[in-house]
Amino acid sequence: SVNLKCDPVHAIELRAAWPGIVTPGYHMNKKHWNTVVFEGSIPDEQLRKMIDESYALVYKGLSKAEQERIRGVS
């Protein structure tokens, strides 16, 4: 399983679409994080979208210095 950050409204939609597989984030802010169990029923494309969304949200929350460090900007 993995914890993925998510828009709060979308998080609820995903939990409803895959009950028991997508749950409120374990040891995380339940409003903004989902725990996703890799058990095979969520299509790979959907998992990639969830991972990409999570990355974008976490990245957006970083300081400009951290964003630049990740991008390799000196």
Side-chain angles (χ1 to χ4, degrees):
S1 65
V2 65
N3 286 336
L4 298 173
K5 192 164 188 178
C6 194
D7 168 79
V9 173
H10 193 218
I12 293 169
E13 293 169 351
L14 291 171
R15 293 172 198 165
W18 288 287
I21 299 164
V22 179
T23 59
Y26 183 70
H27 286 288
M28 304 296 282
N29 179 319
K30 309 285 189 248
K31 181 177 178 181
H32 295 277
W33 291 84
N34 281 337
T35 296
V36 180
V37 177
F38 297 122
E39 48 68 73
S41 67
I42 300 177
D44 289 347
E45 183 176 323
Q46 178 63 41
L47 284 172
R48 284 187 196 95
K49 287 171 67 175
M50 293 164 67
I51 293 166
D52 288 345
E53 178 181 357
S54 179
Y55 182 91
L57 289 168
V58 170
Y59 182 84
K60 181 180 175 183
L62 297 174
S63 68
K64 279 196 170 197
E66 279 296 308
Q67 290 178 7
E68 289 175 356
R69 186 184 67 74
I70 290 169
R71 287 194 321 262
V73 175
S74 297

